[in-house]
Amino acid sequence: MRIRSLGVIDDAVVELSPGFTAVTGETGAGKTMVVTSLGLLLGGRADPALVRIGAGSAVVEGRITLPEGAGAVARAVEAGAELDDGALLVSRTVSAEGRSRAHLGGRSVPVGLLAELADELVAVHGQTDQQGLLKPARQRGALDRYAGDAVAVPLAAYGEAYRRLRAVVAELDEITTRARERAQEADLLRFGLGEIEAVEPLAGEDTELAAEAERLGHAEALASAAALAHAALAGQPEDPEAVDATTLVAGAGRALEAVRSHDPALAALADRMGEISILLADVAGELAGYADNLDADPRRLAVVEERRAALTQLTRKYGADVAAVLAWAQESAARLTELEGDDDRVGELTAERDALRTELSVLAQALTDARTEAAARFADAVTAELASLAMPHARVSFDIRQTETADESSGVEVGGRTVVYGPTGADEVELLLAPHPGAPPRPIAKGASGGELSRVMLAVEVVFAGTDPVPTYLFDEVDAGVGGKAAVEIGRRLAKLAKSAQVVVVTHLPQVAAFADRQLLVEKTNDGSVTRSGVTVLEGEDRVRELSRMLAGQEDSETARAHAEELLATARADA
């Protein structure tokens, strides 16, 4: 991370180890600003009071490397972010006026998107800011992963049956709640299909009838025109002296035939004249046939118009033309068959619903049994961890319960009771803590003080190591109120957790810092007007000096130096 103009930090680069990073420094040096910076990158609230006095804005930039295929990467890419050599670049700017901007992978994004990604990126455990496993849903998911196949196998089968049951119940509700509407729809469809069946329209019939009506309505004019045209082409028997087109064309053809041998061009015209004679004869013959076959019966016209009126009644209601009416009839017949089969369908769906509820009851019971067994193992493991973290009398347990319901139709039977169920079973899972003998178990968020809570979270995370998908853990003041051997054990367990995830710890204890793969020193200097903090990676002699200061408040104390070197040697031996 790079931090600029945030609190007491003017400009600093924080290089976190992929394993265990300890952040140390004097009180007030700005260690908390490191935690605050990470919070801003993860969509935390932007407080303008964080902006360094005299600066226009505070800026935090981070580079996050995630495994290929991680959900956070997919969500970021979906939002338009681009990866930088496999890493995700994140920045957050907070102005002194209170405005806040966020960028992800070079793309401006809503701050809410950073918060959405936070749950998959970092689990924060601090004095005032607890995330991750404090959420009951996260506790249930973590317990399921801890249980392994004992929960995963029945949970997969349960999820499939649950989704099918929801679909069946939705369809059944749709049929039963809309029974009156569906009956009315069926009546309308039957009426429409009855009207269409009574008329029995044929495809294309409306077009053919329209053409026939046009002919019948103008039969006299058509017959007269055909007769006149025929006479002009072929002549009239009753008037032998009349000149017709056929006679004229035949004469012209004979004149050309007589001289065609003298000029090829004229011969070609003679051939065309012969074609015209044939065409005239054909047209004259068709005109004669047309006149003979023309139907001028007014009774047929009445029949045609009546039929067209019946078809018009259908097209006015069911489609733009007869083809559309027939399509409507086909679709409506299929829909009517579906509606008329409601009673049978209700019976089928009811039987399937009851069978699925029975199956879910069996699977929900299997999930409860598997979770209860895993919870007992988990509680023993965490309680053993707490004994080494200066909480020897603390006891952790899981409260796995179900909520009964009087409505049998909305529940499943588990343990002889009808209980509410959801997509992950019927269990409500909550992690409880009894900090000392005689104290009643309470939810961990309420059963421990700030320092105790961080230690409980550390113990939980160590037990869950490898099963929780969050790649980074941040502990702020996990060592509050602890010293001596318990502090060494905290450092040892943080190092153990760092073998499977990235761990960042803000600490005052040298026993914890000694176990870190990388130690960062946050220190400030005063030039008389502006306080600035820098972040330094400590190595070799510098790290011994800082541990000495943390031990005795004196960097040059020989006793403290010897103790610091002993702590580092112990940590290396454990590694």
Side-chain angles (χ1 to χ4, degrees):
M1 293 187 298
R2 183 179 183 185
I3 308 167
R4 286 178 290 173
S5 302
L6 185 71
V8 297
I9 297 180
D10 179 33
D11 192 341
V13 175
V14 180
E15 299 178 9
L16 302 178
S17 165
F20 177 8
T21 299
V23 182
T24 64
E26 294 278 6
T27 300
K31 299 188 301 298
T32 302
M33 287 299 103
V34 175
V35 178
T36 301
S37 299
L38 190 56
L40 287 173
L41 286 183
L42 298 174
R45 188 176 68 87
D47 185 353
L50 296 174
V51 179
R52 185 175 173 79
I53 296 174
S57 63
V59 180
V60 182
E61 300 167 305
R63 179 183 176 88
I64 303 173
T65 302
L66 291 169
E68 186 176 351
V73 172
R75 181 68 186 91
V77 172
E78 180 184 325
E82 295 183 2
L83 300 182
D84 179 26
D85 195 20
L88 197 58
L89 300 181
V90 188
S91 71
R92 183 83 181 276
T93 303
V94 181
S95 72
E97 291 77 26
R99 293 188 303 274
S100 171
R101 297 194 309 274
H103 289 82
L104 183 66
R107 177 66 61 88
S108 178
V109 297
V111 173
L113 178 59
L114 300 186
E116 182 181 331
L117 298 180
D119 285 344
E120 297 184 43
L121 296 177
V122 179
V124 179
H125 304 301
Q127 294 278 19
T128 59
D129 184 15
Q130 294 287 343
Q131 299 175 5
L133 285 172
L134 290 187
K135 301 176 181 178
R138 183 77 174 277
Q139 293 172 8
R140 192 269 312 153
L143 177 61
D144 287 355
R145 286 189 295 276
Y146 181 79
D149 288 345
V151 166
V153 173
L155 183 59
Y158 177 96
E160 185 176 346
Y162 176 82
R163 287 187 292 273
R164 177 57 191 160
L165 177 59
R166 289 192 52 138
V168 168
V169 170
E171 185 177 353
L172 194 56
D173 288 346
E174 196 272 341
I175 291 176
T176 54
T177 57
R178 293 188 55 211
R180 179 178 299 177
E181 294 177 22
R182 294 167 73 92
Q184 292 173 346
E185 182 184 356
D187 286 343
L188 290 173
L189 292 177
R190 290 191 195 95
F191 179 80
L193 290 170
E195 283 194 319
I196 295 172
E197 185 178 358
V199 176
E200 295 183 338
L202 301 175
E205 184 181 7
D206 48 348
T207 302
E208 295 174 2
L209 290 174
E212 185 177 359
E214 187 71 15
R215 288 195 304 272
L216 290 171
H218 299 84
E220 291 185 8
L222 294 173
S224 175
L228 289 173
H230 180 269
L233 293 179
Q236 300 181 27
E238 63 273 12
D239 186 7
E241 299 298 328
V243 179
D244 57 80
T246 301
T247 301
L248 293 172
V249 170
R254 286 192 297 272
L256 294 176
E257 282 294 332
V259 296
R260 65 178 296 151
S261 60
H262 302 304
D263 187 348
L266 204 58
L269 292 174
D271 291 339
R272 291 171 64 186
M273 192 62 71
E275 293 172 2
I276 293 173
S277 296
I278 296 171
L279 183 58
L280 286 175
D282 288 343
V283 173
E286 290 185 18
L287 286 171
Y290 177 84
D292 292 340
N293 295 326
L294 186 62
D295 188 358
D297 186 356
R299 288 175 296 180
R300 173 58 185 169
L301 178 59
V303 170
V304 169
E305 292 295 353
E306 183 178 352
R307 178 65 175 174
R308 290 185 69 200
L311 294 177
T312 299
Q313 289 291 330
L314 297 181
T315 56
R316 186 176 294 130
K317 293 181 180 180
Y318 308 111
D321 52 28
V322 169
V325 170
L326 292 174
W328 183 90
Q330 183 177 4
E331 294 172 2
S332 297
R335 174 62 175 163
L336 183 58
T337 299
E338 178 186 336
L339 293 172
E340 289 177 337
D342 277 356
D343 291 341
D344 293 339
R345 184 61 178 155
V346 166
E348 294 171 1
L349 290 172
T350 300
E352 185 177 5
R353 179 200 63 192
D354 294 343
L356 286 168
R357 279 185 176 157
T358 300
E359 181 182 358
L360 283 179
S361 293
V362 174
L363 291 170
Q365 184 66 63
L367 286 172
T368 298
D369 294 342
R371 284 169 176 156
T372 301
E373 188 277 332
R377 289 189 288 112
F378 166 85
D380 291 343
V382 174
T383 299
E385 288 288 332
L386 289 176
S388 300
L389 297 175
M391 297 179 68
H393 304 297
R395 294 290 180 271
V396 168
S397 61
F398 264 114
D399 179 19
I400 300 177
R401 60 187 182 274
Q402 299 82 35
T403 300
E404 292 192 47
T405 176
D407 184 3
E408 294 186 2
S409 64
S410 64
V412 295
E413 186 173 322
V414 176
R417 300 175 301 150
T418 301
V419 298
V420 176
Y421 65 100
T424 58
D427 302 320
E428 298 174 35
V429 177
E430 191 165 26
L431 189 59
L432 306 179
L433 172 69
H436 53 80
R442 302 179 65 194
I444 55 174
K446 302 175 181 178
S449 64
E452 289 176 331
L453 184 54
S454 288
R455 274 176 278 157
V456 172
M457 288 293 95
L458 172 58
V460 169
E461 300 291 13
V462 169
V463 173
F464 275 138
T467 65
D468 200 322
V470 175
T472 299
Y473 298 92
L474 173 62
F475 292 92
D476 186 15
E477 307 289 354
V478 68
D479 48 22
V482 177
K485 182 180 179 181
V488 173
E489 291 302 323
I490 289 177
R492 184 172 285 120
R493 276 151 180 77
L494 287 167
K496 179 180 178 181
L497 179 60
K499 293 183 183 301
S500 60
Q502 183 181 42
V503 177
V504 182
V505 179
V506 177
T507 182
H508 288 284
L509 293 182
Q511 296 94 329
V512 172
F515 281 87
D517 299 309
R518 176 174 296 167
Q519 183 173 348
L520 301 180
L521 173 63
V522 181
E523 56 184 346
K524 64 180 178 179
T525 59
N526 195 328
D527 62 4
S529 59
V530 178
T531 301
R532 295 178 175 170
S533 287
V535 180
T536 307
V537 178
L538 298 179
E539 296 178 351
E541 180 63 24
D542 291 335
R543 189 171 185 187
V544 172
R545 285 176 57 83
E546 172 62 9
L547 290 176
S548 300
R549 182 199 63 76
M550 296 172 72
L551 282 165
Q554 301 175 5
E555 295 92 335
D556 299 324
S557 167
E558 290 299 325
T559 302
R561 285 177 58 82
H563 192 183
E565 290 172 351
E566 182 181 358
L567 281 175
L568 287 172
T570 300
R572 293 191 190 101
D574 282 358

